[in-house]
Amino acid sequence: MLPLLFTRRQKILFIIYFLLIIITTLITYRLEYANVPASELILMKKQMPDMGISFFYTIQEVGLYLYQFFLICLILNNIINTQLLTLKQNHHDYMIITRLTKQEYHHKAMFLSFISAFMIMLMTHLLTIMTIKCLMPFPLGSLLGEAVDQYQLIPMNAGMNLLLYIFLSSIGGGILALFMFCLQAYIHNIYLYRVLGLILGFSTLLGGILFSGFLRNLHVDILVQLVLFIQTINLTHPGIILNTMFHGPLLVAYFGSICFYVFMIILLYKGKHND
């Protein structure tokens, strides 16, 4: 299956994606420190060893910068899922299914979709950190210090919180890719399917905020919290809460979204892929 999926076109797509990750990191750096005099910026880098890790989280703040969020939304469905749909539409998956049962084929395809998205998310974060390290200090000592409250997922040092963030984000990306894989049974237009991640990311982000605001006016706070679980940003950016209407530990939104999307994956899979 792998030789059929990782084509030359895919490799070019990955190169372009990772180049854009580097470029958007540089753009964000430029925008964030554009008004800081050069001499003051040099002094900040010397006196603030945690500047690098703080900037990493600044990039994750979708409310401030949307570049990487939209890039991630766009790439997740174009790693493996789109190629699997193309194989299906061209009936090229037949030669694979003849060697396996249909259920085995779907299980292998889902595993490949998850692990590929997981690896892309992991490499995205590592590349972002490497780019930041070229721009400002990112010493080991800053990872051993106390985590900033705003980004403290667990009561441990900054390094453990960063590792947990990267790991959970990668799992969340894999779950989102699986959800979009299951939607293949309902979306047959390949061009629409290619931008499905972008549509989901933008619509759940905006829709969640607007609908939760509407429910807040109706004084049904419990539904406000539950509606925010549909936002895909909670999967790819765990603990980075955009909505001030959400109250609770940072990881509640992440695990709430995980539960919601895993339930939807099971529902979609049982409803269509077992037919």
Side-chain angles (χ1 to χ4, degrees), residues 164-236:
L164 182 63
Y165 177 86
I166 292 172
F167 179 68
L168 293 180
S169 174
S170 300
I171 289 178
I175 295 294
L176 182 56
L178 274 182
F179 174 69
M180 292 188 286
F181 169 81
C182 291
L183 290 177
Q184 284 183 4
Y186 305 92
I187 300 174
H188 305 292
N189 186 305
I190 192 67
Y191 300 105
L192 176 62
Y193 191 70
R194 284 187 182 278
V195 295
L196 178 61
L198 203 57
I199 294 170
L200 279 174
F202 182 76
S203 60
T204 59
L205 179 62
L206 185 61
I209 292 173
L210 293 176
F211 194 47
S212 60
F214 171 74
L215 291 173
R216 183 67 178 271
N217 291 332
L218 296 178
H219 305 289
V220 280
D221 289 353
I222 184 64
L223 290 180
V224 172
Q225 312 296 314
L226 293 176
V227 163
L228 296 178
F229 292 163
I230 69 170
Q231 294 181 318
T232 58
I233 183 179
N234 293 326
L235 296 175
T236 55

Side-chain angles (χ1 to χ4, degrees), residues 84-258:
L84 288 170
L85 181 59
T86 303
L87 286 177
K88 180 181 176 183
Q89 291 183 342
N90 295 333
H91 304 291
H92 291 161
D93 60 345
Y94 178 75
M95 57 184 170
I96 302 174
I97 294 176
T98 52
R99 299 197 300 269
L100 307 166
T101 66
K102 194 171 184 180
Q103 189 176 45
E104 285 176 332
Y105 170 74
H106 284 146
H107 287 169
K108 287 181 179 293
M110 290 175 75
F111 174 77
L112 192 58
S113 175
F114 175 85
I115 202 67
S116 299
F118 179 92
M119 292 305 298
I120 283 290
M121 290 294 294
L122 180 62
M123 288 187 287
T124 298
H125 291 312
L126 293 179
L127 182 60
T128 301
I129 290 172
M130 289 170 61
T131 307
I132 292 172
K133 192 167 176 59
C134 295
L135 299 171
M136 60 181 65
F138 209 121
L140 181 62
S142 66
L143 300 179
L144 298 176
E146 188 176 349
V148 179
D149 288 344
Q150 186 180 355
Y151 308 115
Q152 191 176 49
L153 302 177
I154 54 175
M156 295 186 73
N157 61 40
M160 291 303 297
N161 275 275
L162 178 62
L163 288 175
L164 182 63
Y165 177 86
I166 292 172
F167 179 68
L168 293 180
S169 174
S170 300
I171 289 178
I175 295 294
L176 182 56
L178 274 182
F179 174 69
M180 292 188 286
F181 169 81
C182 291
L183 290 177
Q184 284 183 4
Y186 305 92
I187 300 174
H188 305 292
N189 186 305
I190 192 67
Y191 300 105
L192 176 62
Y193 191 70
R194 284 187 182 278
V195 295
L196 178 61
L198 203 57
I199 294 170
L200 279 174
F202 182 76
S203 60
T204 59
L205 179 62
L206 185 61
I209 292 173
L210 293 176
F211 194 47
S212 60
F214 171 74
L215 291 173
R216 183 67 178 271
N217 291 332
L218 296 178
H219 305 289
V220 280
D221 289 353
I222 184 64
L223 290 180
V224 172
Q225 312 296 314
L226 293 176
V227 163
L228 296 178
F229 292 163
I230 69 170
Q231 294 181 318
T232 58
I233 183 179
N234 293 326
L235 296 175
T236 55
H237 295 66
I240 307 295
I241 306 299
L242 276 178
N243 205 309
T244 56
M245 298 176 193
F246 182 84
H247 304 290
L250 294 179
L251 286 180
V252 169
Y254 173 78
F255 286 113
S257 293
I258 287 285

Side-chain angles (χ1 to χ4, degrees), residues 29-30 33-45:
Y29 173 79
R30 176 64 181 170
Y33 300 105
N35 297 323
V36 180
S39 57
E40 187 177 335
L41 186 57
I42 293 172
L43 189 62
M44 286 172 62
K45 291 178 180 180

